[in-house]
């Protein structure tokens, strides 16, 4: 098989005396959807935050497209194409859709031979409309603040932003949480769309049907450790629950 886009080796992250992530390995290949499953507090969000530059790992290595990386902040990760949609969504609520899509990468226009620079709002609006239309997402108005949109529309904006900026890896932390059923369906469709464009996705979820609907592989964490890493076709709902509660562990030296 080709080389992994993301390769995490023996990653450990501690908060004081608590080991939130404990020696976790994770490889993600092009076009692959990897579900990351685990009970509350299993360490899923902490693991992906160590990948996306929110936290520095205490131990271990992260390689992106074959090269060791050490992102100090999320914008460094975004600069090389690691787009993350956090559980506590990373959109600016008081800004509108184009401002969010271009957040930190605003388009400018200049006057008087470059003496005066202003934001190119027209361009950003047109580009945002085009990006969202490509994804088949309809909005009544793109110029209303994000906080007036539904959860599903916000997810769509975050995904549109990732696609617009050519994400090389998409990380989504519980993207279907708090969404209505049609919106959940839409997010799953967008994940499939990313996959069809060969963009790998790490999908953190509690929702078992989502795993079987979109994932190729499922990684289960329990109390900071990886306890399972299988193709979805090699497991089932019942077995995954056993991994999640710590009754099964494929990597532990002792039973949990
Ligand atoms: N900033 C922090 N400071 C201290 N402890 C933290 C911090 N973030 C997470 N933790 C702890 O680390 C452990 C793992 O948390 P994490 O948020 O990674 O879990 P999770 O698997 O994402 O859970 P959930 O499914 O509830 O989102 C938990 O015990 C949590 O309390
Ligand atoms: Mg979490």
């Amino acid at each position: 098989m080709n080389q992994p886009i993301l390769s995490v080796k023996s990653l450990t992250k501690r908060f004081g005396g608590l080991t939130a992530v404990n020696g976790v390995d994770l490889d993600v290949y092009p076009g692959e959807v990897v579900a990351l499953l685990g009970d509350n507090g299993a360490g899923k969000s902490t693991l992906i935050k160590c990948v996306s530059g929110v936290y520095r790992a205490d131990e271990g290595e992260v390689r992106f497209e074959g090269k060791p990386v050490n992102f100090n902040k999320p914008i460094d990760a975004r600069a090389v194409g690691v787009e993350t949609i956090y559980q506590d969504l990373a959109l600016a609520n008081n800004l509108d859709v184009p401002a969010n899509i271009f957040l930190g990468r605003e388009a400018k226009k200049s006057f008087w031979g470059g003496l005066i620079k202003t934001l190119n709002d027209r361009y950003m609006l047109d580009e945002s409309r085009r990006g969202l239309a490509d994804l088949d997402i309809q909005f009544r108005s793109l110029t209303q603040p994000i906080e007036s949109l539904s959860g599903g529309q916000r997810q769509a904006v975050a995904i549109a932003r990732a696609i617009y900026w050519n994400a090389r890896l998409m990380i989504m932390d519980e993207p279907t949480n708090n969404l209505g059923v049609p919106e959940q369906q839409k997010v799953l469709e967008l994940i499939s769309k990313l996959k069809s464009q060969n963009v790998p996705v790490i999908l953190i979820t509690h929702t078992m049907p989502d795993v079987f609907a979109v994932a190729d592989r499922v990684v289960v964490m329990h109390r900071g450790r990886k306890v399972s890493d299988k193709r979805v076709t090699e497991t089932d709902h019942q077995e995954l629950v056993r991994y999640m509660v710590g009754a099964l562990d494929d990597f532990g030296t002792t039973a949990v």
Side-chain angles (χ1 to χ4, degrees):
M1 203 172 177
N2 40 9
Q3 79 160 4
I5 296 255
L6 176 75
S7 184
V8 173
K9 291 266 180 297
S10 306
L11 192 138
T12 293
K13 174 68 186 171
R14 300 184 193 91
F15 296 109
L18 177 106
T19 306
V21 177
N22 193 349
V24 169
D25 294 338
L26 178 68
D27 285 335
V28 180
Y29 290 87
E32 192 182 32
V33 178
V34 178
L36 185 54
L37 207 59
D39 213 346
N40 293 113
K44 307 177 297 293
S45 295
T46 305
L47 172 64
I48 62 102
K49 284 177 175 173
C50 289
V51 170
S52 69
V54 175
Y55 297 142
R56 298 289 292 267
D58 294 305
E59 288 161 33
E61 187 186 57
V62 178
R63 283 176 174 262
F64 185 69
E65 298 185 323
K67 291 191 272 309
V69 288
N70 216 334
F71 304 126
N72 286 312
K73 35 187 177 1
I75 192 83
D76 298 343
R78 284 179 64 199
V80 300
V82 179
E83 285 280 347
T84 307
I85 301 180
Y86 298 97
Q87 205 165 7
D88 29 31
L89 217 64
L91 294 174
N93 276 329
N94 52 334
L95 301 178
D96 66 11
V97 173
N100 267 284
I101 288 185
F102 284 85
L103 194 66
R105 303 186 259 211
E106 288 82 2
K108 306 252 170 62
K109 59 183 173 189
S110 42
F111 299 98
W112 294 328
L115 275 177
I116 293 186
K117 280 198 164 64
T118 60
L119 292 180
N120 194 341
D121 292 325
R122 184 77 238 170
Y123 175 80
M124 291 193 280
L125 179 62
D126 289 345
E127 286 291 287
S128 300
R129 187 168 288 131
R130 194 174 59 78
L132 289 164
D134 282 351
L135 291 177
D136 244 351
I137 302 163
Q138 316 300 334
F139 286 84
R140 244 177 305 129
S141 156
L142 292 187
T143 51
Q144 63 197 33
I146 287 284
E147 61 197 350
S148 66
L149 301 180
S150 75
Q153 287 173 320
R154 288 181 213 201
Q155 290 290 347
V157 172
I159 294 168
R161 176 169 73 184
I163 292 177
Y164 183 79
W165 293 103
N166 296 319
R168 307 281 302 137
L169 169 67
M170 183 84 209
I171 302 175
M172 306 169 95
D173 195 346
E174 311 261 10
T176 60
N177 245 14
N178 309 319
L179 296 187
V181 173
E183 294 181 321
Q184 289 180 17
Q185 210 48 49
K186 188 84 216 178
V187 171
L188 295 181
E189 279 169 26
L190 290 174
I191 292 172
S192 301
K193 191 143 206 159
L194 286 165
K195 181 182 162 64
S196 71
Q197 298 179 357
N198 218 28
V199 178
V201 179
I202 299 176
L203 170 68
I204 298 182
T205 181
H206 275 102
T207 315
M208 201 67 83
D210 291 358
V211 174
F212 291 98
V214 291
D216 300 296
R217 196 149 55 84
V218 52
V219 169
V220 188
M221 288 180 73
H222 179 68
R223 295 190 185 159
R225 296 186 47 252
K226 181 167 94 168
V227 293
S228 176
D229 190 337
K230 287 185 163 175
R231 306 204 60 75
V232 286
T233 49
E234 290 166 352
T235 188
D236 58 36
H237 184 131
Q238 262 184 326
E239 187 184 56
L240 290 175
V241 171
R242 299 191 66 209
Y243 284 116
M244 285 170 74
V245 299
L248 273 179
D249 181 349
D250 289 349
F251 301 104
T253 43
T254 51
V256 185

Short mmCIF file of all heavy atoms in Angstrom, two decimals, residues 118-164:
data_model
loop_
_atom_site.label_atom_id
_atom_site.label_comp_id
_atom_site.label_asym_id
_atom_site.label_seq_id
_atom_site.Cartn_x
_atom_site.Cartn_y
_atom_site.Cartn_z
N THR A 118 -7.74 46.91 1.08
CA THR A 118 -8.97 46.61 1.83
C THR A 118 -9.34 45.16 1.55
O THR A 118 -8.81 44.53 0.64
CB THR A 118 -10.15 47.50 1.38
OG1 THR A 118 -10.37 47.26 -0.01
CG2 THR A 118 -9.89 48.97 1.62
N LEU A 119 -10.25 44.65 2.35
CA LEU A 119 -10.72 43.28 2.13
C LEU A 119 -11.52 43.23 0.84
O LEU A 119 -12.30 44.12 0.54
CB LEU A 119 -11.61 42.84 3.30
CG LEU A 119 -10.91 42.66 4.63
CD1 LEU A 119 -11.90 42.22 5.69
CD2 LEU A 119 -9.79 41.64 4.50
N ASN A 120 -11.32 42.18 0.08
CA ASN A 120 -12.07 42.01 -1.15
C ASN A 120 -13.34 41.19 -0.86
O ASN A 120 -13.41 40.00 -1.12
CB ASN A 120 -11.19 41.32 -2.20
CG ASN A 120 -11.79 41.43 -3.58
OD1 ASN A 120 -12.99 41.70 -3.73
ND2 ASN A 120 -10.97 41.22 -4.59
N ASP A 121 -14.33 41.88 -0.30
CA ASP A 121 -15.55 41.19 0.15
C ASP A 121 -16.29 40.52 -0.99
O ASP A 121 -16.81 39.42 -0.84
CB ASP A 121 -16.48 42.18 0.84
CG ASP A 121 -15.90 42.66 2.17
OD1 ASP A 121 -15.24 41.84 2.83
OD2 ASP A 121 -16.09 43.83 2.52
N ARG A 122 -16.34 41.20 -2.12
CA ARG A 122 -17.07 40.66 -3.28
C ARG A 122 -16.47 39.32 -3.70
O ARG A 122 -17.17 38.33 -3.90
CB ARG A 122 -16.96 41.69 -4.42
CG ARG A 122 -17.72 41.37 -5.67
CD ARG A 122 -19.20 41.64 -5.49
NE ARG A 122 -19.96 40.43 -5.74
CZ ARG A 122 -21.25 40.29 -5.48
NH1 ARG A 122 -21.94 41.28 -4.94
NH2 ARG A 122 -21.86 39.16 -5.73
N TYR A 123 -15.15 39.30 -3.81
CA TYR A 123 -14.45 38.09 -4.21
C TYR A 123 -14.71 36.96 -3.22
O TYR A 123 -15.02 35.83 -3.59
CB TYR A 123 -12.94 38.38 -4.32
CG TYR A 123 -12.10 37.16 -4.62
CD1 TYR A 123 -11.99 36.68 -5.92
CD2 TYR A 123 -11.41 36.50 -3.60
CE1 TYR A 123 -11.23 35.56 -6.20
CE2 TYR A 123 -10.64 35.38 -3.87
CZ TYR A 123 -10.55 34.92 -5.18
OH TYR A 123 -9.80 33.81 -5.45
N MET A 124 -14.60 37.28 -1.92
CA MET A 124 -14.77 36.24 -0.90
C MET A 124 -16.20 35.71 -0.90
O MET A 124 -16.43 34.52 -0.71
CB MET A 124 -14.37 36.78 0.48
CG MET A 124 -12.86 37.03 0.57
SD MET A 124 -12.26 37.32 2.24
CE MET A 124 -12.70 39.02 2.49
N LEU A 125 -17.16 36.62 -1.14
CA LEU A 125 -18.56 36.18 -1.19
C LEU A 125 -18.79 35.27 -2.39
O LEU A 125 -19.38 34.20 -2.27
CB LEU A 125 -19.49 37.41 -1.25
CG LEU A 125 -20.98 37.12 -1.33
CD1 LEU A 125 -21.46 36.36 -0.08
CD2 LEU A 125 -21.79 38.42 -1.48
N ASP A 126 -18.28 35.68 -3.56
CA ASP A 126 -18.47 34.87 -4.78
C ASP A 126 -17.80 33.51 -4.64
O ASP A 126 -18.37 32.48 -5.01
CB ASP A 126 -17.89 35.59 -6.00
CG ASP A 126 -18.74 36.80 -6.39
OD1 ASP A 126 -19.89 36.89 -5.91
OD2 ASP A 126 -18.25 37.64 -7.16
N GLU A 127 -16.58 33.52 -4.11
CA GLU A 127 -15.86 32.27 -3.94
C GLU A 127 -16.56 31.34 -2.95
O GLU A 127 -16.63 30.13 -3.13
CB GLU A 127 -14.42 32.54 -3.47
CG GLU A 127 -13.51 33.09 -4.54
CD GLU A 127 -13.20 32.05 -5.61
OE1 GLU A 127 -12.43 31.12 -5.34
OE2 GLU A 127 -13.77 32.18 -6.71
N SER A 128 -17.10 31.93 -1.87
CA SER A 128 -17.80 31.13 -0.87
C SER A 128 -19.05 30.51 -1.48
O SER A 128 -19.36 29.34 -1.26
CB SER A 128 -18.21 31.99 0.33
OG SER A 128 -17.06 32.55 0.92
N ARG A 129 -19.76 31.32 -2.25
CA ARG A 129 -20.99 30.83 -2.88
C ARG A 129 -20.66 29.67 -3.82
O ARG A 129 -21.33 28.65 -3.81
CB ARG A 129 -21.66 31.98 -3.65
CG ARG A 129 -23.02 31.62 -4.20
CD ARG A 129 -23.77 32.83 -4.69
NE ARG A 129 -24.25 33.69 -3.62
CZ ARG A 129 -24.09 35.01 -3.58
NH1 ARG A 129 -23.44 35.63 -4.54
NH2 ARG A 129 -24.57 35.71 -2.58
N ARG A 130 -19.58 29.82 -4.57
CA ARG A 130 -19.16 28.78 -5.51
C ARG A 130 -18.77 27.50 -4.74
O ARG A 130 -19.19 26.41 -5.07
CB ARG A 130 -17.96 29.29 -6.32
CG ARG A 130 -17.63 28.47 -7.54
CD ARG A 130 -16.53 29.14 -8.36
NE ARG A 130 -15.29 29.35 -7.60
CZ ARG A 130 -14.41 28.38 -7.35
NH1 ARG A 130 -14.64 27.16 -7.79
NH2 ARG A 130 -13.32 28.64 -6.67
N GLY A 131 -17.99 27.67 -3.68
CA GLY A 131 -17.54 26.52 -2.89
C GLY A 131 -18.70 25.75 -2.29
O GLY A 131 -18.74 24.52 -2.33
N LEU A 132 -19.68 26.49 -1.77
CA LEU A 132 -20.83 25.83 -1.15
C LEU A 132 -21.71 25.19 -2.22
O LEU A 132 -22.24 24.09 -2.01
CB LEU A 132 -21.63 26.83 -0.31
CG LEU A 132 -20.90 27.27 0.96
CD1 LEU A 132 -21.53 28.52 1.55
CD2 LEU A 132 -20.91 26.16 2.00
N ALA A 133 -21.84 25.84 -3.37
CA ALA A 133 -22.66 25.27 -4.45
C ALA A 133 -22.04 23.97 -4.94
O ALA A 133 -22.75 23.00 -5.22
CB ALA A 133 -22.79 26.27 -5.59
N ASP A 134 -20.70 23.92 -5.01
CA ASP A 134 -20.02 22.68 -5.42
C ASP A 134 -20.39 21.53 -4.51
O ASP A 134 -20.37 20.38 -4.89
CB ASP A 134 -18.49 22.86 -5.35
CG ASP A 134 -17.96 23.66 -6.53
OD1 ASP A 134 -18.75 23.90 -7.46
OD2 ASP A 134 -16.77 24.02 -6.51
N LEU A 135 -20.67 21.85 -3.26
CA LEU A 135 -21.02 20.81 -2.28
C LEU A 135 -22.52 20.58 -2.21
O LEU A 135 -22.99 19.81 -1.39
CB LEU A 135 -20.53 21.23 -0.89
CG LEU A 135 -19.04 21.24 -0.68
CD1 LEU A 135 -18.71 21.75 0.72
CD2 LEU A 135 -18.49 19.85 -0.86
N ASP A 136 -23.25 21.34 -3.05
CA ASP A 136 -24.70 21.16 -3.05
C ASP A 136 -25.34 21.64 -1.76
O ASP A 136 -26.27 21.02 -1.25
CB ASP A 136 -25.01 19.66 -3.20
CG ASP A 136 -25.74 19.41 -4.49
OD1 ASP A 136 -26.13 20.40 -5.13
OD2 ASP A 136 -25.92 18.23 -4.84
N ILE A 137 -24.81 22.71 -1.21
CA ILE A 137 -25.36 23.21 0.04
C ILE A 137 -26.04 24.56 -0.23
O ILE A 137 -25.42 25.46 -0.80
CB ILE A 137 -24.26 23.41 1.10
CG1 ILE A 137 -23.54 22.09 1.32
CG2 ILE A 137 -24.84 23.91 2.41
CD1 ILE A 137 -22.21 22.26 2.01
N GLN A 138 -27.28 24.68 0.17
CA GLN A 138 -28.02 25.91 -0.09
C GLN A 138 -28.10 26.75 1.19
O GLN A 138 -28.41 26.22 2.25
CB GLN A 138 -29.46 25.61 -0.54
CG GLN A 138 -29.59 24.49 -1.56
CD GLN A 138 -28.82 24.79 -2.84
OE1 GLN A 138 -28.60 25.94 -3.19
NE2 GLN A 138 -28.38 23.72 -3.52
N PHE A 139 -27.87 28.03 1.05
CA PHE A 139 -28.05 28.97 2.16
C PHE A 139 -28.94 30.10 1.68
O PHE A 139 -28.81 30.53 0.55
CB PHE A 139 -26.71 29.58 2.58
CG PHE A 139 -25.84 28.62 3.35
CD1 PHE A 139 -25.05 27.72 2.68
CD2 PHE A 139 -25.83 28.65 4.73
CE1 PHE A 139 -24.25 26.84 3.39
CE2 PHE A 139 -25.04 27.78 5.43
CZ PHE A 139 -24.24 26.87 4.77
N ARG A 140 -29.82 30.56 2.54
CA ARG A 140 -30.66 31.69 2.15
C ARG A 140 -29.80 32.94 2.00
O ARG A 140 -29.92 33.68 1.05
CB ARG A 140 -31.79 31.92 3.16
CG ARG A 140 -33.16 31.69 2.52
CD ARG A 140 -34.27 31.84 3.51
NE ARG A 140 -34.09 30.98 4.66
CZ ARG A 140 -34.14 31.40 5.92
NH1 ARG A 140 -34.36 32.66 6.21
NH2 ARG A 140 -33.98 30.54 6.91
N SER A 141 -28.93 33.14 2.96
CA SER A 141 -28.05 34.30 2.89
C SER A 141 -26.69 33.93 3.46
O SER A 141 -26.61 33.26 4.48
CB SER A 141 -28.66 35.45 3.70
OG SER A 141 -27.63 36.33 4.09
N LEU A 142 -25.64 34.35 2.76
CA LEU A 142 -24.29 34.04 3.25
C LEU A 142 -23.76 35.16 4.13
O LEU A 142 -22.71 35.04 4.72
CB LEU A 142 -23.34 33.84 2.07
CG LEU A 142 -23.58 32.61 1.21
CD1 LEU A 142 -22.45 32.46 0.20
CD2 LEU A 142 -23.67 31.36 2.07
N THR A 143 -24.52 36.25 4.21
CA THR A 143 -23.99 37.41 4.92
C THR A 143 -24.59 37.57 6.31
O THR A 143 -24.42 38.59 6.96
CB THR A 143 -24.19 38.70 4.10
OG1 THR A 143 -25.56 38.76 3.71
CG2 THR A 143 -23.32 38.70 2.87
N GLN A 144 -25.28 36.52 6.78
CA GLN A 144 -25.76 36.57 8.16
C GLN A 144 -24.68 35.94 9.06
O GLN A 144 -23.91 35.09 8.59
CB GLN A 144 -27.10 35.85 8.30
CG GLN A 144 -27.03 34.37 7.98
CD GLN A 144 -28.40 33.77 7.73
OE1 GLN A 144 -29.30 34.42 7.22
NE2 GLN A 144 -28.56 32.51 8.11
N PRO A 145 -24.63 36.36 10.32
CA PRO A 145 -23.60 35.78 11.19
C PRO A 145 -23.78 34.27 11.35
O PRO A 145 -24.90 33.77 11.31
CB PRO A 145 -23.83 36.48 12.54
CG PRO A 145 -24.77 37.59 12.29
CD PRO A 145 -25.47 37.33 11.00
N ILE A 146 -22.65 33.58 11.53
CA ILE A 146 -22.66 32.13 11.68
C ILE A 146 -23.60 31.69 12.81
O ILE A 146 -24.26 30.66 12.73
CB ILE A 146 -21.22 31.64 11.98
CG1 ILE A 146 -20.37 31.73 10.72
CG2 ILE A 146 -21.20 30.23 12.54
CD1 ILE A 146 -20.61 30.67 9.69
N GLU A 147 -23.69 32.51 13.87
CA GLU A 147 -24.49 32.09 15.03
C GLU A 147 -25.98 31.93 14.68
O GLU A 147 -26.70 31.27 15.40
CB GLU A 147 -24.32 33.04 16.21
CG GLU A 147 -24.74 34.45 15.93
CD GLU A 147 -24.17 35.44 16.95
OE1 GLU A 147 -23.61 34.99 17.97
OE2 GLU A 147 -24.28 36.65 16.71
N SER A 148 -26.41 32.53 13.54
CA SER A 148 -27.81 32.38 13.18
C SER A 148 -28.05 31.14 12.30
O SER A 148 -29.17 30.89 11.87
CB SER A 148 -28.30 33.63 12.47
OG SER A 148 -27.64 33.77 11.23
N LEU A 149 -27.01 30.37 12.02
CA LEU A 149 -27.17 29.16 11.21
C LEU A 149 -27.45 27.95 12.07
O LEU A 149 -27.13 27.94 13.27
CB LEU A 149 -25.90 28.89 10.40
CG LEU A 149 -25.43 29.97 9.44
CD1 LEU A 149 -24.15 29.52 8.75
CD2 LEU A 149 -26.51 30.28 8.41
N SER A 150 -27.99 26.91 11.45
CA SER A 150 -28.20 25.66 12.18
C SER A 150 -26.88 24.93 12.35
O SER A 150 -25.89 25.23 11.66
CB SER A 150 -29.17 24.78 11.41
OG SER A 150 -28.50 24.22 10.30
N GLY A 151 -26.86 23.95 13.24
CA GLY A 151 -25.64 23.17 13.47
C GLY A 151 -25.14 22.52 12.19
O GLY A 151 -23.94 22.50 11.91
N GLY A 152 -26.06 22.01 11.40
CA GLY A 152 -25.69 21.32 10.16
C GLY A 152 -25.09 22.29 9.15
O GLY A 152 -24.11 21.97 8.46
N GLN A 153 -25.68 23.49 9.07
CA GLN A 153 -25.13 24.49 8.16
C GLN A 153 -23.73 24.92 8.60
O GLN A 153 -22.85 25.12 7.78
CB GLN A 153 -26.06 25.71 8.11
CG GLN A 153 -27.34 25.44 7.35
CD GLN A 153 -28.33 26.59 7.45
OE1 GLN A 153 -28.47 27.19 8.51
NE2 GLN A 153 -29.01 26.89 6.36
N ARG A 154 -23.53 25.01 9.92
CA ARG A 154 -22.19 25.37 10.42
C ARG A 154 -21.17 24.30 10.05
O ARG A 154 -20.05 24.61 9.64
CB ARG A 154 -22.21 25.51 11.94
CG ARG A 154 -22.93 26.74 12.38
CD ARG A 154 -22.89 26.82 13.87
NE ARG A 154 -24.12 27.44 14.33
CZ ARG A 154 -24.27 28.02 15.51
NH1 ARG A 154 -23.26 28.03 16.35
NH2 ARG A 154 -25.39 28.55 15.84
N GLN A 155 -21.57 23.04 10.22
CA GLN A 155 -20.67 21.95 9.83
C GLN A 155 -20.33 22.07 8.35
O GLN A 155 -19.19 21.88 7.94
CB GLN A 155 -21.34 20.58 10.06
CG GLN A 155 -21.50 20.21 11.50
CD GLN A 155 -20.18 19.91 12.16
OE1 GLN A 155 -19.16 19.76 11.50
NE2 GLN A 155 -20.18 19.83 13.46
N ALA A 156 -21.38 22.40 7.56
CA ALA A 156 -21.18 22.50 6.11
C ALA A 156 -20.19 23.61 5.77
O ALA A 156 -19.33 23.45 4.90
CB ALA A 156 -22.52 22.74 5.41
N VAL A 157 -20.28 24.73 6.49
CA VAL A 157 -19.35 25.84 6.24
C VAL A 157 -17.93 25.39 6.57
O VAL A 157 -16.98 25.64 5.81
CB VAL A 157 -19.72 27.09 7.08
CG1 VAL A 157 -18.63 28.16 6.98
CG2 VAL A 157 -21.06 27.66 6.61
N ALA A 158 -17.78 24.70 7.70
CA ALA A 158 -16.44 24.23 8.10
C ALA A 158 -15.89 23.24 7.07
O ALA A 158 -14.70 23.28 6.73
CB ALA A 158 -16.51 23.60 9.49
N ILE A 159 -16.74 22.39 6.55
CA ILE A 159 -16.29 21.40 5.55
C ILE A 159 -15.98 22.11 4.23
O ILE A 159 -14.98 21.81 3.57
CB ILE A 159 -17.35 20.29 5.37
CG1 ILE A 159 -17.47 19.48 6.66
CG2 ILE A 159 -16.97 19.38 4.20
CD1 ILE A 159 -18.67 18.55 6.71
N ALA A 160 -16.84 23.08 3.88
CA ALA A 160 -16.60 23.83 2.64
C ALA A 160 -15.26 24.55 2.72
O ALA A 160 -14.50 24.59 1.75
CB ALA A 160 -17.72 24.84 2.40
N ARG A 161 -14.96 25.10 3.88
CA ARG A 161 -13.68 25.78 4.07
C ARG A 161 -12.52 24.81 3.85
O ARG A 161 -11.55 25.13 3.16
CB ARG A 161 -13.61 26.38 5.48
CG ARG A 161 -12.27 27.03 5.77
CD ARG A 161 -12.31 27.83 7.04
NE ARG A 161 -12.34 26.99 8.22
CZ ARG A 161 -12.46 27.44 9.45
NH1 ARG A 161 -12.61 28.74 9.66
NH2 ARG A 161 -12.46 26.62 10.47
N ALA A 162 -12.66 23.63 4.42
CA ALA A 162 -11.59 22.63 4.28
C ALA A 162 -11.38 22.26 2.81
O ALA A 162 -10.25 22.16 2.34
CB ALA A 162 -11.93 21.39 5.09
N ILE A 163 -12.48 22.07 2.09
CA ILE A 163 -12.37 21.68 0.69
C ILE A 163 -11.82 22.83 -0.15
O ILE A 163 -10.94 22.65 -0.98
CB ILE A 163 -13.72 21.18 0.15
CG1 ILE A 163 -14.08 19.86 0.85
CG2 ILE A 163 -13.68 21.01 -1.36
CD1 ILE A 163 -15.41 19.30 0.46
N TYR A 164 -12.31 24.04 0.13
CA TYR A 164 -11.87 25.20 -0.63
C TYR A 164 -10.35 25.37 -0.54
O TYR A 164 -9.68 25.69 -1.50
CB TYR A 164 -12.57 26.46 -0.12
CG TYR A 164 -12.22 27.69 -0.92
CD1 TYR A 164 -12.82 27.92 -2.15
CD2 TYR A 164 -11.26 28.59 -0.46
CE1 TYR A 164 -12.47 29.03 -2.92
CE2 TYR A 164 -10.91 29.70 -1.21
CZ TYR A 164 -11.51 29.91 -2.43
OH TYR A 164 -11.17 31.01 -3.19
#
